[in-house]
Amino acid sequence: MGQGGEPRRAQAYDGELGAAVARAQQGDEAAFAVAYRIVQPGLLGYLRGIVGDDAEDVASDAWLEIARDLGRFKGDGAGFRGWSATIARHRALDHLRRQRVRPRAATLEQDVLELPGPSSTHDQALESLSTEYALELVRGLPRDQAEAVLLRVVVGLDGPAAARVLGKRPGAVRTAAYRGLKRLARQLDGESVTDEDPRTLGEST
């Protein structure tokens, strides 16, 4: 049984997750615990990137709401990850408003920064994104990039699902994720990344 310890491979647990959620909706508490174990690592990583050290508290609030509203959820395992991420995001934004704290903003020179292709940037950034250091770097990205990277990489949502969580168009989320990953790859490597074909962004899913 998968524990979901590798956020990048979250999709591999979607079948198990969907089945657990269905049983949990019938009142099976053990099944809810299975769903929690699969989803929590990615959700916590996402929240750490937004609220830092308060992630555990915000995650607890989110899971209380998830448990309360579980009967209203309709969908499969991937849908549950997106739904739970939406709830966690709302709790995180509420927390930031209460604390009057905003994630650090980093300047981004849009004219200079080219969009990368998927292989070099993703491979370099993804290898390190599970570390606390990388999450700290993510918090330094502009908000749209940070959230796009966290939802795509750490929570494991696909483009359309991440876009639904953020209330944006999939193309805008893809662009933000690529720009954020390029910036992270440069910071993690300490050297510039060779651009590949920016047309890989396209509008395909």
Side-chain angles (χ1 to χ4, degrees):
M1 299 286 267
Q3 295 289 308
E6 285 277 353
R8 281 180 284 144
R9 297 180 188 151
Q11 297 93 326
Y13 301 107
D14 278 349
E16 181 185 351
L17 176 59
V21 169
R23 292 197 308 273
Q25 288 181 311
Q26 309 270 323
D28 186 334
E29 292 183 11
F32 186 82
V34 170
Y36 173 87
R37 285 198 302 272
I38 294 172
V39 173
Q40 172 71 349
L43 209 60
L44 198 57
Y46 170 56
L47 290 170
R48 279 199 187 109
I50 302 177
V51 301
D53 293 339
D54 294 328
E56 295 270 4
D57 290 341
V58 174
S60 295
D61 290 342
W63 280 105
L64 287 173
E65 185 171 340
I66 290 166
R68 186 194 71 201
D69 294 343
L70 187 63
R72 295 189 328 193
F73 170 74
K74 291 182 174 62
D76 57 9
F80 183 78
R81 278 192 291 115
W83 181 70
S84 58
T86 300
I87 289 174
R89 180 174 192 262
H90 289 157
R91 296 287 68 76
L93 296 181
D94 286 347
H95 176 82
L96 291 176
R97 278 192 288 269
R98 284 197 304 271
Q99 300 295 316
R100 295 187 178 180
V101 171
R102 295 290 177 269
R104 291 189 302 279
T107 58
L108 181 68
E109 297 178 2
Q110 303 280 1
D111 296 335
V112 177
L113 192 57
E114 293 294 323
L115 300 182
S119 58
S120 63
T121 301
H122 278 86
D123 290 345
Q124 293 170 49
L126 298 188
E127 286 306 312
S128 304
L129 254 182
S130 59
T131 67
E132 290 295 328
Y133 171 66
L135 284 173
E136 186 68 16
L137 290 180
V138 170
R139 293 193 74 205
L141 292 173
R143 168 67 74 81
D144 64 329
Q145 293 180 23
E147 289 207 72
V149 168
L150 290 164
L151 289 171
R152 295 296 305 275
V153 177
V154 181
V155 180
L157 301 184
D158 63 17
R164 283 193 295 274
V165 172
L166 297 174
K168 296 183 176 181
R169 290 177 294 105
V173 174
R174 271 196 302 278
T175 299
Y178 275 105
R179 286 177 170 163
L181 284 171
K182 183 185 178 80
R183 190 180 188 93
L184 287 175
R186 283 182 163 161
Q187 290 176 311
L188 290 167
D189 268 6
E191 56 188 48
S192 60
V193 176
T194 302
D195 287 339
E196 294 176 5
D197 185 0
R199 290 173 299 173
T200 54
L201 278 177
E203 281 304 314
S204 60
T205 52

